[in-house]
């Protein structure tokens, strides 16, 4: 036991320091995603246990959960170490500021991808409305797209020009 040899190895007493951190929205999203991945792995293992009517974890199930917990812990120490291994391809150790820049760029790309999907789906719904001879519904949908694009531009989210042009052209045609 550690206490049996504490005098011999001259270890200072253990101290614990708790510091409350305030994350930026990007950091908060990153850590929330890491936490959700860990929680999903645990839920999957527990669901399997319930289906198999077992009450204890086998080694394989334990490892699935513990691997995710380890990555979560590592990501909390430094996002380049744990997490999704998003920066593993980059051989250089990044500073926290460089990581934050990459996280922001990734978040922006995810927003732009999401906006593309919304614009595409909404253009499709507007086209269906035109086919169903509901031009007022189509006009509202096209205007919603334009508002979304303008709002995105205010937030630094760039819309693809061709779908936006498609929207404006179709709205003008109604």
């Amino acid at each position: 036991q550690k206490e049996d040899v504490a005098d011999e190895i001259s270890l200072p007493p253990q101290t614990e320091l708790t510091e409350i951190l305030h994350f930026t929205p990007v950091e908060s999203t990153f850590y929330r995603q890491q936490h959700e991945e860990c929680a999903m792995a645990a839920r999957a293992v527990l669901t399997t246990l319930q289906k198999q009517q077992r009450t204890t974890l086998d080694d394989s199930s334990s490892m699935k959960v513990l691997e995710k917990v380890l990555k979560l812990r590592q990501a909390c120490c430094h996002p380049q170490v744990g997490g999704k291994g998003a920066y593993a391809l980059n051989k250089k150790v990044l500073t926290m500021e460089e990581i934050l820049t990459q996280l922001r760029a990734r978040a922006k790309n995810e927003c732009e991808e999401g906006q593309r999907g919304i614009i595409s789906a909404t253009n499709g719904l507007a086209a269906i409305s035109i086919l169903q001879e509901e031009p007022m519904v189509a006009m509202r949908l096209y205007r919603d797209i334009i508002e979304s694009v303008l709002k995105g531009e205010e937030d630094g989210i760039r819309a693809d020009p061709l779908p936006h042009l498609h929207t404006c052209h179709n709205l003008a045609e109604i």
Side-chain angles (χ1 to χ4, degrees):
Q1 296 291 355
K2 187 166 56 171
E3 53 273 351
D4 294 338
V5 294
D7 296 339
E8 297 172 24
I9 56 177
S10 303
L11 288 176
Q14 184 175 356
T15 59
E16 184 176 316
L17 174 66
T18 302
E19 189 169 330
I20 304 297
L21 301 177
H22 301 283
F23 295 128
T24 65
V26 174
E27 291 170 318
S28 183
T29 298
F30 173 77
Y31 290 115
R32 192 173 23 259
Q33 286 173 341
Q34 300 307 307
H35 176 265
E36 185 56 35
E37 281 185 28
C38 186
M40 282 182 358
R43 281 192 294 271
V45 167
L46 291 175
T47 300
T48 302
L49 280 177
Q50 287 175 335
K51 286 179 182 176
Q52 296 173 352
Q53 297 181 343
R54 293 188 353 227
T55 57
T56 58
L57 291 175
D58 57 21
D59 289 344
S60 173
S61 299
S62 295
M63 286 308 297
K64 285 179 186 175
V65 174
L66 291 175
E67 284 174 11
K68 292 292 184 184
V69 171
L70 173 63
K71 285 187 177 192
L72 179 61
R73 262 188 35 232
Q74 290 171 334
C76 289
C77 292
H78 195 282
Q80 196 172 3
V81 176
K84 296 179 183 175
Y87 312 103
L89 297 176
N90 186 346
K91 303 293 182 207
K92 177 184 154 202
V93 176
L94 303 176
T95 66
M96 291 304 286
E97 191 58 40
E98 290 169 326
I99 289 173
L100 187 57
T101 299
Q102 283 194 2
L103 288 173
R104 284 185 182 123
R106 177 189 285 171
K108 182 180 178 194
N109 287 340
E110 289 173 359
C111 288
E112 289 173 350
E113 279 294 316
Q115 186 183 51
R116 274 192 227 27
I118 290 169
I119 289 172
S120 177
T122 307
N123 271 326
L125 290 172
I128 291 169
S129 296
I130 290 170
L131 292 172
Q132 293 177 336
E133 298 181 7
E134 296 177 346
M136 299 307 287
V137 173
M139 286 174 62
R140 181 183 49 79
L141 290 167
Y142 287 135
R143 286 185 179 129
D144 287 349
I145 292 171
I146 293 169
E147 282 181 35
S148 171
V149 168
L150 293 174
K151 173 70 172 111
E153 287 173 355
E154 289 174 10
D155 295 333
I157 306 302
R158 186 187 64 79
D160 292 335
L162 288 178
H164 186 212
L165 178 65
H166 172 85
T167 300
C168 294
H169 172 78
N170 286 351
L171 180 59
E173 289 290 309
I174 295 179

